Amino acid sequence: MVTQTQIDWAREVPVEKVARALGYTVVKKGRYFSLKEMDSLMITPWKNRWWRYSTGQHGSSIDFFMEFGNYDFVDAVIQCLEINNIILDQREERKIMQPKKAEKAEEMKKILQLPPRANNPKRLYAYLIKRRKLSASTVHFFINKELIYEEKDHHNIVFLGKDKNGDIKYAAVHGTLEREGQKAFRGDVEGNNKNYGVNLRNPLSKTVVVFEAVIDMMSYFELQKSLDNLLALGMVSDGPLETFLKENSQIESIIFALDHDEKGMRAMDALEKKYEGKGYQTSRFYYPNRIKDMNDFLKELKGECE
């Protein structure tokens, strides 16, 4: 239950801010914004509305969270408010009921269409070993766990997130080409459920270590040879963590290892507070000042050893 005032506040949160919180790359196009991962979507900032021309879908900041984050209406309102650091006032009396979404239920049950696999993942190995400095044994381990593979047509890496039953719920692509001054292509596979992330599960461990990116998770695995649960969110929003904790009730402690930048540090502050309030023990991985993320940390250590 949320109030009408809270809904009005949530609708005022800039759509582009919501998109960034869900892990999308916002691109300026004249007076409009678009998304690098979804160029058919346009954001009109003066109206604070979005429109996806390929499907005809459109709406407010709340609708964006519901459509691309798979949140229900109330949780989408709460997420919008949290982005703007607005604390819900539980003393407000004027409440409204959650709108019915029966008409959108089928629309949200999208089918995840995975790209076809390449017969030989040589581009995947070359990128992760030469550019990201991961060992062949680490890459081989994640391939054998069926958490990564190389797609056939564009030779991107596909990252796979599974639920507790081993069913694939999440898939994202990561390019294997990096031009000077530009990052490799990144995007989501159509039909993604962003309430899941790429994960390594150990039901005997009571700890989960949380990252933004899969390559950071792989780097940590190589450095620590960890037997803990590992989870890559694919963003800084914690929807995948909430799902993971529900599916792994034995977990008691959370280690946050998000990026060592302003966005990641701010997210870790909020997440530590949130999950401490839920009764979990929380801590974070501290990087040296010059290191941005776990993969940079891996490169730094390997550079010192060479």
Side-chain angles (χ1 to χ4, degrees):
M1 302 277 281
V2 289
T3 70
Q4 185 61 53
T5 299
Q6 290 162 354
I7 294 170
D8 293 340
W9 286 342
R11 287 189 175 126
E12 292 176 2
V13 177
V15 175
E16 60 271 22
K17 199 171 182 180
V18 170
R20 290 189 184 99
L22 283 172
Y24 292 100
T25 306
V26 177
V27 179
K28 181 79 167 154
K29 290 191 174 182
R31 300 171 61 203
Y32 301 87
F33 292 107
S34 185
L35 303 179
K36 182 178 179 181
E37 299 83 358
M38 201 186 316
D39 59 8
S40 68
L41 187 143
M42 298 297 288
I43 299 170
T44 309
W46 62 93
K47 293 182 179 179
N48 202 31
R49 304 283 291 179
W50 60 273
W51 190 286
R52 191 177 184 188
Y53 288 92
S54 61
T55 63
Q57 298 161 299
H58 57 92
S60 67
S61 299
I62 299 172
D63 297 315
F64 194 99
F65 254 123
M66 293 169 66
E67 181 60 36
F68 301 108
N70 286 336
Y71 288 90
D72 63 24
F73 181 82
V74 171
D75 285 340
V77 170
I78 293 171
Q79 290 293 326
C80 284
L81 296 178
E82 288 184 353
I83 287 175
N84 262 17
N85 296 316
I86 298 173
I87 305 300
L88 291 180
D89 187 350
Q90 300 299 331
R91 296 168 298 177
E92 290 183 351
E93 297 179 356
R94 197 154 47 94
K95 303 287 183 180
I96 66 165
M97 296 298 292
Q98 178 179 340
K100 294 181 179 179
K101 289 182 59 187
E103 67 276 7
K104 294 194 71 175
E106 291 302 317
E107 181 182 333
M108 293 186 69
K109 293 179 181 177
K110 298 177 181 177
I111 298 175
L112 186 63
Q113 298 286 350
L114 295 177
R117 295 171 184 256
N119 293 326
N120 186 343
K122 60 182 180 180
R123 285 265 291 270
L124 177 153
Y125 271 100
Y127 175 78
L128 291 177
I129 294 173
K130 294 179 180 179
R131 298 286 298 184
R132 295 308 191 119
K133 306 303 180 184
L134 291 162
S135 68
S137 61
T138 293
V139 177
H140 190 63
F141 175 85
F142 277 80
I143 289 177
N144 279 349
K145 286 289 186 180
E146 297 186 341
L147 296 177
I148 64 173
Y149 71 89
E150 181 178 323
E151 66 155 316
K152 180 180 179 181
D153 296 332
H154 305 289
H155 301 285
N156 294 319
I157 302 169
V158 181
F159 298 126
L160 301 175
K162 302 178 182 180
D163 65 12
K164 63 181 179 181
N165 298 317
D167 296 325
I168 298 171
K169 298 293 185 179
Y170 168 89
V173 294
H174 190 295
T176 52
L177 294 176
E178 289 185 356
R179 295 179 175 83
E180 189 66 30
Q182 295 183 345
K183 294 182 178 180
F185 166 77
R186 298 175 189 181
D188 287 336
V189 174
E190 189 71 23
N192 236 355
N193 185 339
K194 293 178 80 69
N195 286 322
Y196 287 86
V198 179
N199 60 79
L200 272 175
R201 298 172 188 257
N202 179 3
L204 299 179
S205 171
K206 296 182 179 181
T207 299
V208 59
V209 190
V210 182
F211 309 87
E212 288 185 40
V214 181
I215 292 175
D216 292 328
M217 183 178 84
M218 296 173 71
S219 302
Y220 181 88
F221 175 84
E222 179 162 327
L223 289 170
Q224 302 291 334
K225 301 299 185 242
S226 175
L227 296 177
D228 289 325
N229 296 279
L230 306 181
L231 172 66
L233 301 174
M235 51 187 174
V236 295
S237 182
D238 64 331
L241 177 56
E242 290 185 341
T243 301
F244 194 83
L245 293 173
K246 289 176 183 176
E247 292 187 348
N248 296 271
S249 59
Q250 84 280 6
I251 291 175
E252 297 176 354
S253 64
I254 307 169
I255 301 173
F256 292 103
L258 306 188
D259 289 0
H260 187 208
D261 55 18
E262 182 179 354
K263 182 176 70 173
M265 298 292 284
R266 188 169 61 245
M268 283 192 286
D269 289 340
L271 292 173
E272 282 183 331
K273 182 177 180 180
K274 174 178 178 177
Y275 286 95
E276 283 173 3
K278 290 176 175 286
Y280 293 96
Q281 299 174 8
T282 69
S283 59
R284 69 175 66 180
F285 188 94
Y286 286 93
Y287 300 95
N289 286 333
R290 64 187 179 278
I291 301 299
K292 176 182 177 291
D293 56 34
M294 194 63 68
N295 186 240
D296 278 356
F297 192 44
L298 173 71
K299 292 177 181 177
E300 178 81 5
L301 292 178
K302 288 198 171 185
E304 290 176 357
C305 293
E306 292 174 351

